[in-house]
Amino acid sequence: MRENIKASIFDIFSFGYLLTLAFVTCYRPTEEQLLNIEIGAIVTLICFIVGWVLTFVLYKFNVKTLGLLIFEAAHKKALGNKKSFLKSFWGWHLQVLFWATFIVSIYVTEFSFDDLFYVKGLEGAQRIFVSLITPNFAILPQGLMAIFETVFMAFMSTVIAVPIAFVLSFVCAKNVMGKTMIGFSVYSVIRIFNNIVRSIEPLIWAIIFSVWVGIGPFAGMLALMITSVASLTKQYSEFIEGVSEGPIEGIQSTGANSLQVIWYAIVPQIVLPYISYTIYRWDINVRMATIIGLVGGGGIGTMLMNYQGQALWHEVGTLALLIVIVVWAMDTASAYIREAIK
């Protein structure tokens, strides 16, 4: 029943989406009409109602749609008729969705081979690229100090984020919290809050903290820390949701309470992926720290913004070289550590 509800919601949205695209393509509304919220809402609503009717008709005639294929129960998939991709309705449904989205993406991104191979544009890009690969090593001492600040900023933000995310990950795991109404409510609230935090770009958090605690590495560290908490919580909770049920049932059969089940049945299964992803997160934070420095987060990003704003491309090349070396070193070290803890 729940699978059918999920499938019908997916199909209604996919058909409504395709009908809305078809309407915009055929009718070609002006920019003024597109910006009119009332007209846009009415047209979208009509398209989704038609999508709902189409879904209802298809289900009535037992046509297997893409939604039914995705949300079909595992035992039904195993027993299902293996019809050819091109001879099934869901296959065409998937192809139309993909190609319609691809074509719209071309228009939205204004993809153009003329602009890509425009001679003057290529000459300008070549000039900057040549400057970048001929760095000015006179700024190397300042660059080294800034990159050290960036690495320590990323380390500090990761270290603070890990214990917070570790606790929150159990609250955000459906197989831990979804067994009672209160647990599911807490899970839903924390999950929504986590998604909101994760949706806000680190650049925005860096601006907020720059106003709060002042421009500098502390603001950058706080911005990285809050995004790391959200990201690690999501990743950790997915590890928990993917654990084997066997050890959990075994520990429960001994009369263990919830905390004992988590500690003895779940934690041993997730330790290695937790450590592996935490190291990878530190690696991500080093690269992200260079970006949030652009808005006052400190570290090498701030230097990069200053030189880029003055079009000093040789100096930018020096900083880019330092970033490449650090990212390469971090990547190599984390690969060895991940291999060692397997």
Side-chain angles (χ1 to χ4, degrees):
M1 184 63 181
R2 289 179 65 182
E3 283 76 16
N4 277 346
I5 293 172
K6 290 177 184 175
S8 58
I9 290 172
F10 177 88
D11 286 328
I12 291 167
F13 270 89
S14 63
F15 289 134
Y17 164 71
L18 287 173
L19 288 166
T20 307
L21 289 185
F23 173 81
V24 172
T25 306
C26 297
Y27 182 69
R28 293 180 181 276
T30 62
E31 188 174 346
E32 187 180 346
Q33 289 172 320
L34 282 173
L35 293 173
N36 190 314
I37 295 175
E38 289 179 1
I39 294 175
I42 291 170
V43 169
T44 306
L45 183 63
I46 291 171
C47 289
F48 275 78
I49 290 172
V50 175
W52 175 75
V53 173
L54 184 59
T55 302
F56 178 78
V57 172
L58 290 169
Y59 282 24
K60 191 79 176 171
F61 288 96
N62 292 321
V63 177
K64 192 169 188 175
T65 61
L66 186 58
L68 287 173
L69 178 83
I70 294 171
F71 295 102
E72 194 175 39
H75 68 279
K76 287 184 180 176
K77 280 183 183 173
L79 298 173
N81 184 18
K82 305 293 182 188
K83 198 181 269 187
S84 166
F85 178 78
L86 293 174
K87 290 182 181 176
S88 57
F89 181 85
W90 65 263
W92 286 100
H93 188 176
L94 178 62
Q95 288 186 72
V96 172
L97 264 179
F98 173 79
W99 287 112
T101 305
F102 182 76
I103 292 167
V104 170
S105 300
I106 289 175
Y107 281 101
V108 170
T109 58
E110 299 179 2
F111 186 87
S112 166
F113 280 108
D114 291 337
D115 291 343
L116 191 61
F117 296 106
Y118 182 55
V119 176
K120 287 190 176 178
L122 280 171
E123 288 173 354
Q126 185 185 13
R127 189 178 64 253
I128 293 173
F129 184 73
V130 170
S131 302
L132 289 175
I133 59 173
T134 52
N136 174 12
F137 289 109
I139 65 156
L140 196 57
Q142 296 95 321
L144 282 171
M145 286 186 67
I147 198 75
F148 280 133
E149 188 177 271
T150 299
V151 171
F152 284 110
M153 199 164 72
F155 176 77
M156 190 70 179
S157 59
T158 310
V159 166
I160 295 175
V162 166
I164 301 171
F166 179 80
V167 174
L168 288 178
S169 63
F170 291 97
V171 184
C172 286
K174 199 172 183 180
N175 57 341
V176 175
M177 300 294 291
K179 294 172 183 172
T180 62
M181 185 60 75
I182 295 173
F184 185 74
S185 303
V186 173
Y187 156 83
S188 301
V189 170
I190 300 293
R191 194 92 182 184
I192 290 169
F193 181 73
N194 191 54
N195 285 335
I196 292 170
V197 173
R198 207 159 48 84
S199 303
I200 299 172
E201 284 294 315
L203 279 172
I204 306 297
W205 284 116
I207 292 169
I208 293 169
F209 285 117
S210 295
V211 174
W212 186 351
V213 299
I215 291 173
F218 185 42
M221 189 279 288
L222 289 172
L224 286 176
M225 186 269 292
I226 197 162
T227 51
S228 296
V229 168
S231 178
L232 287 172
T233 300
K234 180 183 185 305
Q235 196 67 39
Y236 288 173
S237 64
E238 287 177 2
F239 290 145
I240 295 170
E241 288 175 347
V243 297
S244 172
E245 287 293 319
I248 297 174
E249 290 170 0
I251 297 293
Q252 284 175 334
S253 67
T254 65
N257 60 38
S258 298
L259 285 176
Q260 288 171 325
V261 170
I262 289 172
W263 187 252
Y264 292 108
I266 296 178
V267 171
Q269 295 188 62
I270 56 174
V271 169
L272 289 182
Y274 263 42
I275 295 172
S276 178
Y277 189 75
T278 301
I279 295 168
Y280 181 55
R281 185 68 216 178
W282 183 26
D283 184 283
I284 292 172
N285 280 346
V286 170
R287 282 174 280 146
M288 203 175 284
T290 63
I291 298 170
I292 62 170
L294 299 176
V295 291
I300 203 164
T302 304
M303 278 186 77
L304 202 60
M305 183 191 69
N306 291 336
Y307 288 125
Q308 180 267 332
Q310 299 172 60
L312 297 172
W313 300 117
H314 298 289
E315 286 73 9
V316 171
T318 309
L319 300 180
L321 181 65
L322 284 173
I323 294 168
V324 168
I325 291 170
V326 168
V327 168
W328 172 80
M330 292 281 303
D331 184 56
T332 305
S334 63
Y336 278 116
I337 294 169
R338 282 199 297 271
E339 194 176 333
I341 61 175
K342 276 182 182 176

